[in-house]
């Protein structure tokens, strides 16, 4: 049997030990330190924004970004149903509700045309704000997610957001290094959020960051992340805050990982191209690919297969040491969110039934990829 071919595991091959040892040697292990500052500067510079605020994880970055953008209890936020649950939970933490809009069948990310029709046909402007005709609630933000690393079509989405006066909180957790029309995801909206969880393209073990070019937003997010303490040592807290800061040890890991990011992206893009070339010989299988205007980091390569084959193919691959996983359950099918409004979801439901994410770790070599594709081919040959 071939060794396990992992889905998406950390690749620790640079200065990680050195920088973490430095934290331990100097005693700067907690939520203040030079690696936190460096990490914030380097990620925001890489992405192309003026500010970065490091957080304990990506979910915390989303929570604070929504709050700082003014999302209030009772408001509604436009979001995809096809996503990992974190951004939807973050909306809920604010006391707001998601309105689920269908996704684009190519990018698997928020369908911008559907967002436009929803806002123009199902909402009404009143006193400078936008209200959902069905629920009567205020729409206060749009939260697109760059699924599996593939950018959302951000230019028309930004036009829509400007037309309706809504901030965009961009969930770039999976898309560090991906580009939309030659600009990095994370620089394309009011504020963006990243995750440095262990399964992401680079990791801090756990960690996150909000990036923005608006100074006041960055300051507010930072303030909220440190218990909203206005005057350190005087304990003057001026609103409800959170303990959401990243530690210096985690940031040290992040700085070392960031030094390797471009190399990781090159490997992942080459591996995706090889998958695509080899999979072309299997008629029932498509690989989710980047749009002409996008350059994806291919965080997770994802197959579209006939829905009847999804489960048995996954079982076959797992039995052959190929680590795969299905797409997340659609958010409106989960008990906490099944009362939320859903718009234009028909195609998304069909696509969800067809998705399998396949091994995409940086460590994979061409032999691993050939093995994975051989297993997929064997499954279809015998079924
Ligand atoms: C799309 C998306 N958003 C948010 C998150 C949350 O990040 P974290 O796990 O760092 O809280 C993740 C991943 O974990 C994600 O994939």
């Amino acid at each position: 049997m071939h060794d396990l071919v992992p889905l998406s595991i950390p690749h620790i091959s640079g200065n990680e030990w050195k920088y973490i040892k430095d934290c331990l040697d100097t005693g700067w292990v907690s939520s203040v330190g030079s690696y936190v500052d460096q990490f914030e500067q380097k990620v925001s510079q890489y992405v192309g924004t003026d500010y970065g605020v490091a957080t304990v994880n990506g979910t915390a970055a989303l929570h604070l970004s929504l709050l700082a953008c003014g999302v209030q209890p009772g408001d509604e936020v436009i979001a995809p149903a096809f996503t990992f649950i974190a951004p939807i939970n973050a909306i809920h933490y604010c006391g707001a509700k998601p309105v689920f809009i269908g996704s684009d069948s190519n990018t698997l990310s928020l369908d911008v045309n559907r967002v436009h029709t929803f806002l123009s046909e199902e909402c009404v402007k009143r006193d400078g704000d936008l209200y959902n005709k069905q629920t009567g609630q205020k729409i206060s933000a749009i939260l697109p997610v760059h699924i599996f690393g593939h950018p959302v079509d951000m230019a028309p989405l930004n036009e829509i957001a400007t037309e309706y006066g809504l901030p965009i909180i961009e969930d770039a957790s999976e898309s560090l290094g991906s580009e939309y029309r030659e600009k990095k995801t994370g620089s394309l909206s009011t504020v963006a959020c990243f995750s440095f969880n262990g399964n992401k393209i680079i990791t801090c073990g756990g960690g996150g960051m909000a990036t923005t070019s608006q100074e006041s937003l960055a300051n507010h997010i930072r303030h909220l992340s440190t218990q909203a303490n206005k005057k350190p040592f005087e304990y003057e807290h001026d609103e409800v805050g959170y303990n959401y800061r990243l530690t210096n040890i985690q940031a040290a890991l992040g700085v070392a990982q960031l030094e390797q990011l471009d190399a990781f992206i090159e490997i992942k893009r080459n591996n995706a191209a090889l998958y695509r070339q080899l999979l072309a010989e299997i008629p029932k299988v498509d690989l989710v690919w980047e749009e002409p205007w996008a350059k994806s980091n291919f965080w997770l390569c994802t197959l579209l297969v006939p829905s009847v084959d999804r489960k048995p193919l996954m079982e076959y691959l797992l039995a052959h040491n190929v680590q795969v996983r299905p797409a997340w359950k659609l958010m409106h099918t989960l008990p906490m969110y099944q009362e939320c409004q859903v718009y234009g979801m028909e195609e998304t439901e069909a696509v969800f039934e067809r998705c399998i994410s396949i091994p995409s770790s940086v460590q994979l070599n061409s032999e691993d990829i050939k093995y994975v594709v051989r297993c997929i081919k064997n499954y279809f040959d015998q079924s």
Side-chain angles (χ1 to χ4, degrees):
M1 178 83 82
H2 195 286
D3 286 346
L4 180 78
V5 192
L7 187 78
S8 186
I9 54 170
H11 190 56
I12 311 288
S13 58
N15 286 317
E16 289 86 350
W17 274 108
K18 188 175 157 199
Y19 296 166
I20 290 176
K21 184 172 183 306
D22 187 30
C23 296
L24 300 178
D25 288 345
T26 58
W28 288 95
V29 294
S30 198
S31 60
V32 181
S34 65
Y35 287 105
V36 176
D37 298 342
Q38 273 187 61
F39 193 48
E40 291 182 336
Q41 280 160 16
K42 288 183 173 176
V43 171
S44 54
Q45 200 174 20
Y46 179 86
V47 163
T49 59
D50 293 338
Y51 307 97
V53 183
T55 53
V56 67
N57 54 47
T59 312
L62 285 160
H63 182 192
L64 299 188
S65 298
L66 285 157
L67 289 174
C69 283
V71 173
Q72 302 270 343
D75 286 357
E76 294 182 342
V77 176
I78 303 294
F82 190 109
T83 174
F84 180 57
I85 197 168
I88 309 307
N89 281 340
I91 294 169
H92 185 84
Y93 302 158
C94 299
K97 271 193 175 176
V99 174
F100 294 120
I101 308 283
S103 295
D104 179 282
S105 300
N106 292 333
T107 62
L108 303 185
S109 295
L110 196 62
D111 182 335
V112 174
N113 290 328
R114 284 196 170 96
V115 174
H116 193 231
T117 13
F118 178 79
L119 295 181
S120 59
E121 291 175 10
E122 305 297 325
C123 299
V124 60
K125 278 188 187 168
R126 207 181 330 124
D127 303 329
D129 286 322
L130 189 69
Y131 290 88
N132 184 338
K133 286 186 201 165
Q134 184 175 310
T135 62
Q137 300 302 317
K138 183 175 151 187
I139 307 280
S140 60
I142 307 177
L143 198 164
V145 184
H146 305 298
I147 298 291
F148 301 138
H150 297 294
V152 175
D153 196 359
M154 290 302 291
L157 191 65
N158 271 309
E159 274 175 35
I160 294 166
T162 307
E163 183 183 343
Y164 289 95
L166 298 172
I168 297 183
I169 294 104
E170 186 189 344
D171 186 344
S173 296
E174 301 177 358
S175 67
L176 180 64
S178 297
E179 291 174 18
Y180 173 78
R181 299 191 188 280
E182 291 172 15
K183 286 178 107 182
K184 295 266 185 342
T185 59
S187 68
L188 305 163
S189 58
T190 317
V191 56
C193 300
F194 290 97
S195 164
F196 305 108
N197 183 29
N199 67 352
K200 295 298 182 288
I201 191 160
I202 64 165
T203 186
C204 297
M209 195 173 301
T211 56
T212 179
S213 287
Q214 294 186 26
E215 189 180 8
S216 57
L217 260 185
N219 288 343
H220 195 188
I221 294 169
R222 189 180 300 283
H223 184 60
L224 288 170
S225 74
T226 48
Q227 302 285 22
N229 193 357
K230 217 174 161 199
K231 289 189 190 160
F233 308 118
E234 288 181 36
Y235 301 103
E236 204 174 306
H237 307 267
D238 60 352
E239 59 183 313
V240 174
Y242 302 83
N243 179 10
Y244 276 177
R245 293 290 287 154
L246 190 72
T247 68
N248 205 42
I249 295 181
Q250 290 166 307
L253 186 51
V255 171
Q257 287 267 287
L258 192 64
E259 291 169 353
Q260 303 160 78
L261 176 59
D262 284 338
F264 290 178
I265 291 173
E266 196 181 333
I267 293 170
K268 284 167 87 74
R269 287 185 57 78
N270 287 340
N271 286 348
L274 183 56
Y275 266 133
R276 192 183 199 208
Q277 181 198 327
L278 299 173
L279 286 165
E281 289 165 27
I282 311 176
K284 288 185 175 173
V285 177
D286 285 320
L287 183 69
V288 177
W289 199 248
E290 62 193 1
E291 293 287 337
W293 35 258
K295 187 174 169 201
S296 176
N297 69 0
F298 285 97
W299 170 61
L300 271 192
C301 286
T302 298
L303 302 179
L304 293 177
V305 300
S307 51
V308 287
D309 290 307
R310 185 179 65 140
K311 206 158 172 264
L313 174 57
M314 277 199 303
E315 282 165 5
Y316 183 88
L317 292 172
L318 289 169
H320 287 80
N321 260 353
V322 175
Q323 210 174 38
V324 292
R325 70 177 209 194
W328 314 279
K329 289 223 160 60
L330 296 175
M331 291 300 113
H332 61 286
T333 66
L334 302 177
M336 311 78 76
Y337 299 119
Q338 62 194 9
E339 304 296 319
C340 297
Q341 191 176 357
V342 166
Y343 184 82
M345 204 58 69
E346 307 74 21
E347 286 163 44
T348 311
E349 277 162 2
V351 166
F352 153 76
E353 296 285 341
R354 300 178 54 209
C355 284
I356 302 179
S357 293
I358 55 175
S360 308
S361 303
V362 168
Q363 290 87 336
L364 300 194
N365 57 36
S366 57
E367 290 312 310
D368 295 320
I369 288 170
K370 285 179 191 159
Y371 172 73
V372 173
V373 175
R374 211 161 49 240
C375 288
I376 297 169
K377 187 167 185 311
N378 289 346
Y379 165 85
F380 281 106
D381 285 348
Q382 71 175 39
S383 65

